[in-house]
Amino acid sequence: MNEIKSIAFVGLGAMGAPMAENLVKRQFRVTGFDMRESAREALVSAGGHAAESAATAARDADALVMMVVNAAQARSVLFEADALAALAPGASVLLMATCPPGEVEAIATEVTKTGRHFVDAPVSGGISGARGATLTIMVGAPQESFALAKPVLDAMGDKVFHVGQKPGQGATVKTVNQLLCGVHIAVAAEALSLAEKAGIDGRILFEIMGGSAASSWMLRDRGPRMLLDDAPVASAVDIFVKDLGIVLDAGRAARAALPLAAAAHQMFLASSGLGHGARDDSQVVRAYRALNAKPANDP
């Protein structure tokens, strides 16, 4: 089993860029590709290398890491842009984006047919986790593939869990994670909306709730940002429109009823429809405020 030394990294966005830089810091040779020239230049400034296409980045690399938006982009990189064919024989493909489990399984089947390893490795921890190399990484892959990719994963996260032997199992755990996160954010916004309607200061509310049995990590983290007019973006509203959509698709496939996830999805969708899709996901609260606005004929 060959050691991974050279890595092609596709997707140098808000999370992908610091993840790639952490690989550079661990002495991997990293060649990155992103549609934005500025992102490629930033990687070069951090000590990495840049390529003009995904296939060029992947040429003879030991591994391909994809931090793309969705499964459709992953397929485009691998099969339409020919990155898979450009990799070294026996190379590893690490899909780290949040994708539907079924689509991950299908992609894995096509990758492994070429004699290459496939590692289903979605992440949680947001931009701060990507920067600090403290991501939680949920891996679905055969033991041999996991062991080969482990040093790469350890360079990007400090909580690496091998959740199963099959690709798609990591995606399933991430799907459950996003169900919980989305519902927690939405219910925190709902609680704030009720308190505001009653004239209670949101800062006091979150100070009380943050230290009570009603607390959650999302309430403590996102709650205070709900009170800001221009909250810094840790993860966008539209990310949860996508991810809770994946949750509901997984529920349909498993014939599992997910009523709370469905309600939360509607609130994120409403916030996006109001024009707030690119705002921080805490701004799902804007949908509640619009829903609960005082009617014009109120005294």
Side-chain angles (χ1 to χ4, degrees):
M1 189 166 62
N2 295 326
E3 180 183 357
I4 293 175
K5 296 179 180 178
S6 61
I7 297 172
F9 199 109
V10 176
L12 302 171
M15 289 186 65
M19 289 165 68
E21 290 176 15
N22 283 326
L23 289 169
V24 172
K25 290 175 185 175
R26 290 287 191 98
Q27 306 305 309
F28 291 100
R29 178 183 170 83
V30 181
T31 303
F33 173 71
D34 192 279
M35 295 296 292
R36 296 167 300 123
E37 184 179 357
S38 59
R40 301 195 300 268
E41 291 174 347
L43 179 61
V44 172
S45 297
H49 306 270
E52 295 298 315
S53 71
T56 303
R59 188 172 296 144
D60 296 325
D62 300 324
L64 168 63
V65 175
M66 293 185 291
M67 194 62 187
V68 293
V69 173
N70 52 32
Q73 281 195 5
R75 281 190 166 276
S76 178
V77 168
L78 287 167
F79 310 121
E80 294 171 26
D82 294 325
L84 178 61
L87 288 168
S92 298
V93 173
L94 285 68
L95 178 55
M96 306 193 75
T98 300
C99 300
E103 293 194 38
V104 172
E105 289 182 61
I107 293 171
T109 297
E110 293 184 57
V111 170
T112 54
K113 280 179 182 177
T114 71
R116 295 177 174 91
H117 297 270
F118 185 89
V119 179
D120 166 28
V123 304
S124 180
I127 295 171
S128 61
R131 288 174 178 163
T134 57
L135 292 169
T136 297
I137 305 176
M138 299 145 268
V139 183
Q143 183 61 43
E144 180 184 4
S145 300
F146 172 67
L148 184 58
K150 183 72 160 48
V152 177
L153 300 171
D154 286 340
M156 297 180 283
D158 62 354
K159 296 171 286 293
V160 178
F161 296 96
H162 191 199
V163 302
Q165 297 290 323
K166 297 191 303 182
Q169 291 178 310
T172 298
V173 175
K174 179 60 189 292
T175 298
V176 174
N177 181 82
Q178 294 308 88
L179 187 163
L180 287 165
C181 289
V183 169
H184 282 192
I185 296 169
V187 78
E190 188 166 304
L192 175 61
S193 182
L194 173 60
E196 288 180 336
K197 196 77 172 179
I200 295 168
D201 188 327
R203 289 171 297 178
I204 294 174
L205 176 79
F206 286 129
E207 184 176 351
I208 296 168
M209 296 297 108
S212 77
S215 184
S216 71
W217 188 94
M218 279 298 188
L219 182 142
R220 295 191 302 274
D221 185 79
R222 299 305 203 266
R225 297 214 294 271
M226 292 178 186
L227 306 174
L228 303 177
D229 290 332
D230 192 19
V233 180
S235 177
V237 165
D238 277 345
I239 294 294
F240 272 100
V241 172
K242 172 181 76 77
D243 288 0
L244 286 172
I246 291 173
V247 168
L248 296 177
D249 287 344
R252 278 191 289 272
R255 296 293 189 268
L258 305 174
L260 297 181
H265 186 243
Q266 288 297 304
M267 296 312 294
F268 281 101
L269 194 58
S271 185
S272 182
L274 290 167
H276 307 306
R279 292 184 184 273
D280 184 67
D281 55 28
S282 64
Q283 298 311 297
V284 68
V285 72
R286 292 173 184 253
Y288 281 98
R289 287 172 179 154
L291 189 63
N292 293 322
K294 184 165 63 174
N297 60 354
D298 260 17

